[in-house]
Amino acid sequence: MMNFSRIVFPLLLVTAGMPASAQIVNVESRRIQTDTTGWAGSFGGNINLSKNVEQVFSASAFAHLQYKNSRNLYLFLGDYSFLKGAQKKYTNNTFFHLRYNHKFNEPIRWEVFTQLQTNKITKIDNRFLAGTGPRFKLSGSGMLHVYLGVLFMYEYERELVDPPVSHHNARNSSYLSFTLKPTATLEIISTTFYQPRLDKWGDFRILNQESANLAITQKLSATINWNYLYDQFPVPGVPKSNYTFSTGFRYAF
């Protein structure tokens, strides 16, 4: 355990100095729910059709690595996407997320995270996030789990406009998540994020994501995801609201 900590925390400090960017990403749906300790992970891909500034077709791949013991959880996520729309091809869509979760007792955890993103479609050249805060387990009985997170974060954002515009903001990043497992093979996750600026509460974002995972085999599952994002002050030329629907497969190990 000590060796793993010596690797993860320096990595957190290194990634904090790198550039970043994009929209809200639902990390809640990426957690692997397991009662056992040790390593777990998954990889897979999606085929997407979304309506944002324009209609966009994309194919994406993702990787997920998680380590858990009785008190601590370490989570690393990485994504890369290929997008095509309006006769143009875009490849600059990347995402890296590193998160540490410490369990004080059954209902209370503490989280620390950092995130890097780029997304040409939403005209965000770079975004870097670093934050921390408590996570509360409101319900964890039977087939329903409910979590509430009240986090605060620093955000650096560089817009893909001419001339380039950069922002440095402090935001609240609260979320409410429901995980429902009506059967042994079906998992449904609903998560809503709320991210207002601390110095200007009228500048906020709301993300709602609904996802379903249906197990085909013990390690292979089919996935369906729906995302809706509202940004009160998006980059000029980008609509305040947009949505994404995706379906694909996930292989867990």
Side-chain angles (χ1 to χ4, degrees), residues 35-36 40 43 45 55 113 134 137 148 166 174 178 186 209 213 223 250:
D35 294 327
T36 60
F43 62 88
Q55 183 169 295
F113 71 91
K137 188 176 185 179
L148 172 66
S166 297
S174 297
F178 301 84
L186 178 62
Q209 182 183 71
N213 302 309
T223 64
R250 182 179 69 180

Side-chain angles (χ1 to χ4, degrees), residues 7-232:
I7 294 173
V8 171
F9 287 109
L11 181 58
L12 242 170
L13 295 176
V14 171
T15 54
M18 298 172 65
S21 80
Q23 297 296 339
I24 306 174
V25 174
N26 182 11
V27 176
E28 195 65 26
S29 65
R30 310 286 190 93
R31 299 177 192 264
I32 298 176
Q33 301 296 332
T34 176
D35 294 327
T36 60
T37 62
W39 294 92
S42 64
F43 62 88
N46 292 310
I47 296 176
N48 307 325
L49 180 64
S50 64
K51 173 64 171 61
N52 198 305
V53 179
E54 58 196 31
Q55 183 169 295
V56 177
F57 170 80
S58 68
S60 63
F62 68 88
H64 172 184
L65 185 62
Q66 178 175 299
Y67 180 85
K68 178 182 178 181
N69 61 22
S70 60
R71 291 284 183 181
N72 305 287
L73 184 145
Y74 303 89
L75 177 66
F76 172 78
L77 304 171
D79 285 298
Y80 179 80
S81 297
F82 166 83
L83 300 96
K84 182 178 181 181
Q87 307 303 316
K88 295 181 181 180
K89 294 181 180 179
Y90 305 89
T91 57
N92 189 18
N93 189 0
T94 56
F95 165 72
F96 298 99
H97 186 98
L98 186 62
R99 179 168 296 233
Y100 169 69
N101 180 301
H102 178 76
K103 179 180 179 180
F104 289 111
N105 49 47
E106 188 56 33
I108 302 175
R109 279 84 165 162
W110 194 271
E111 296 190 317
V112 180
F113 71 91
T114 185
Q115 182 172 301
L116 311 172
Q117 269 183 286
T118 64
N119 193 320
K120 264 189 174 181
I121 299 300
T122 52
K123 297 185 179 181
I124 297 176
D125 187 36
N126 287 289
R127 178 180 286 169
F128 164 71
L129 308 176
T132 187
R135 169 183 168 90
F136 303 98
K137 188 176 185 179
L138 304 183
S139 173
S141 60
M143 60 183 179
L144 178 64
H145 291 75
V146 182
Y147 294 94
L148 172 66
V150 185
L151 283 67
F152 297 89
M153 67 182 187
Y154 162 77
E155 173 188 76
Y156 165 77
E157 180 178 284
R158 180 182 170 91
E159 298 177 355
L160 195 61
V161 295
D162 188 20
V165 177
S166 297
H167 302 279
H168 299 266
N169 296 315
R171 289 183 181 270
N172 174 267
S173 183
S174 297
Y175 62 87
L176 184 64
S177 180
F178 301 84
T179 300
L180 178 66
K181 295 195 72 171
T183 69
T185 59
L186 178 62
E187 179 183 62
I188 300 171
I189 302 173
S190 175
T191 307
T192 301
F193 284 82
Y194 177 55
Q195 292 187 341
R197 273 177 53 180
L198 297 182
D199 62 333
K200 186 180 179 181
W201 285 80
D203 182 351
F204 64 90
R205 307 186 194 106
I206 297 176
L207 170 72
N208 174 255
Q209 182 183 71
E210 310 295 326
S211 63
N213 302 309
L214 179 63
I216 300 173
T217 67
Q218 186 175 0
K219 296 185 177 182
L220 181 65
S221 59
T223 64
I224 298 175
N225 296 282
W226 167 263
N227 293 271
Y228 177 80
L229 174 67
Y230 180 85
D231 189 343
Q232 181 66 20

